[in-house]
């Protein structure tokens, strides 16, 4: 018997959203919703508690993984397919060990992985792509310590912590947006973080910024 599923696409990348919608439309009788931010996602989950959520965590307004885990626990009938370009190994391990609601695939992986993840959640089991499994297994024993940031990266962390956009940072530094984006990715990788909020917390701990300027 075919069971109708509700799908929520929580991904602010237009192309990915369109591709996921096209894929999910093949599942006749199912409903597809779009969420553009965390509060919109919560509102949709209140209406559809057993929805399957496609989430790009790195593009959404979560402060940290704790917020994500709290929402998943609150809506414990929901199932989540995390789909991102980049996720840190610490993040993957944390969500996978904390809850069985999360499957993990990567945007640059083969389409077959997304199909397999969908089939798995429809059987109420979780799916971890090969790359996600490798992240968990190979780095399980490692105590990950951030590499030392370069002077440029330290300045960019400060700017991120001050709430400046990539465009503003690029203009101030007479750099291209692409260059600043590359620095940002390297910074997040080195520090083992996924969001700007976590960058603020790092900058405060490292004494790069004055706590009196920030209200977190």
């Amino acid at each position: 018997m075919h069971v109708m599923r509700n799908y929520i696409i929580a991904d602010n990348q237009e192309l990915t959203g369109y591709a996921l919608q096209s894929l999910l439309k093949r599942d006749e009788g199912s409903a597809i919703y779009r969420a553009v931010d965390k509060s919109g996602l919560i509102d949709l989950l209140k209406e559809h508690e057993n929805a399957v959520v496609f989430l790009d965590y790195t593009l959404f307004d979560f402060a940290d993984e704790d917020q994500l885990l709290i929402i998943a626990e609150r809506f414990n009938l929901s199932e989540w397919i995390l789909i991102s370009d980049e996720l840190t190994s610490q993040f993957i391990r944390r969500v996978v060990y904390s809850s069985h609601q999360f499957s993990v695939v990567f945007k640059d992986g083969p389409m077959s992985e997304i199909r397999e993840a969908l089939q798995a959640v429809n059987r109420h089991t979780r799916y971890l792509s090969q790359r996600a499994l490798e992240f968990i297994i190979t780095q399980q024993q490692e105590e990950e310590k951030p590499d030392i940031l370069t002077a440029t990266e330290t300045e960019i962390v400060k700017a991120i912590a001050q709430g400046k956009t990539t465009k503003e940072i690029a203009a101030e530094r007479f750099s291209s947006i692409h260059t600043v984006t590359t620095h940002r990715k390297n910074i997040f990788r080195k520090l083992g973080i996924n969001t700007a909020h976590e960058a603020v917390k790092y900058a405060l701990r490292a004494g790069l910024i004055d706590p009196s300027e920030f209200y977190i």
Side-chain angles (χ1 to χ4, degrees):
M1 187 180 85
H2 179 77
V3 180
M4 179 180 164
R5 293 301 306 252
N6 292 307
Y7 297 103
I8 300 171
I9 299 173
D11 188 319
N12 292 320
Q13 224 168 37
E14 215 169 316
L15 192 60
T16 309
Y18 178 77
L20 287 172
Q21 270 182 303
S22 300
L23 181 67
L24 296 172
K25 276 177 184 167
R26 296 175 194 174
D27 187 0
E28 289 178 26
S30 293
I32 305 164
Y33 304 92
R34 292 291 298 270
V36 296
D37 57 23
K38 189 178 64 202
S39 62
L41 174 57
I42 291 169
D43 288 341
L44 283 168
L45 283 166
K46 284 177 185 171
E47 290 178 51
H48 313 287
E49 290 190 344
N50 65 342
V52 175
V53 181
F54 278 91
L55 171 70
D56 187 334
Y57 173 81
T58 61
L59 294 180
F60 244 59
D61 58 335
F62 285 98
D64 51 33
E65 63 258 38
D66 288 328
Q67 277 194 348
L68 175 60
L69 290 167
I70 288 164
I71 292 169
E73 192 179 344
R74 179 178 166 192
F75 300 102
N76 58 9
L77 298 176
S78 63
E79 293 173 273
W80 300 66
I81 298 175
L82 299 177
I83 175 167
S84 296
D85 283 322
E86 292 186 29
L87 288 169
T88 61
S89 54
Q90 298 101 308
F91 173 84
I92 293 172
R93 287 205 306 272
R94 175 86 194 282
V95 296
V96 166
Y97 290 154
S98 299
S99 171
H100 283 275
Q101 291 165 262
F102 292 99
S103 296
V104 182
V105 294
F106 288 89
K107 284 185 178 175
D108 58 359
M111 180 66 88
S112 59
E113 288 187 343
I114 296 173
R115 290 200 186 95
E116 285 168 28
L118 263 175
Q119 288 164 5
V121 296
N122 284 324
R123 294 192 303 269
H124 302 292
T125 58
R126 78 153 160 224
Y127 178 84
L128 299 174
S129 70
Q130 188 62 37
R131 190 163 142 210
L133 280 170
E134 284 167 10
F135 267 47
I136 293 165
I137 294 162
T138 59
Q139 303 195 23
Q140 207 157 16
Q141 304 305 321
E142 283 183 24
E143 238 348 275
E144 288 183 67
K145 295 190 175 106
D147 299 329
I148 295 168
L149 297 183
T150 65
T152 298
E153 288 168 347
T154 301
E155 289 301 316
I156 289 172
V157 167
K158 279 191 202 174
I160 292 169
Q162 287 160 355
K164 292 174 183 171
T165 65
T166 302
K167 192 174 178 181
E168 286 168 342
I169 297 168
E172 279 183 9
R173 300 187 63 81
F174 305 103
S175 299
S176 70
I177 289 173
H178 174 74
T179 300
V180 175
T181 301
T182 303
H183 280 309
R184 185 185 167 108
K185 280 187 178 181
N186 289 337
I187 291 162
F188 282 24
R189 177 183 55 75
K190 284 182 179 183
L191 299 180
I193 60 175
N194 294 284
T195 67
H197 186 89
E198 290 169 304
V200 174
K201 291 200 283 190
Y202 167 81
L204 283 166
R205 283 198 309 271
L208 300 177
I209 53 176
D210 183 348
S212 63
E213 296 175 48
F214 296 91
Y215 302 91
I216 300 171

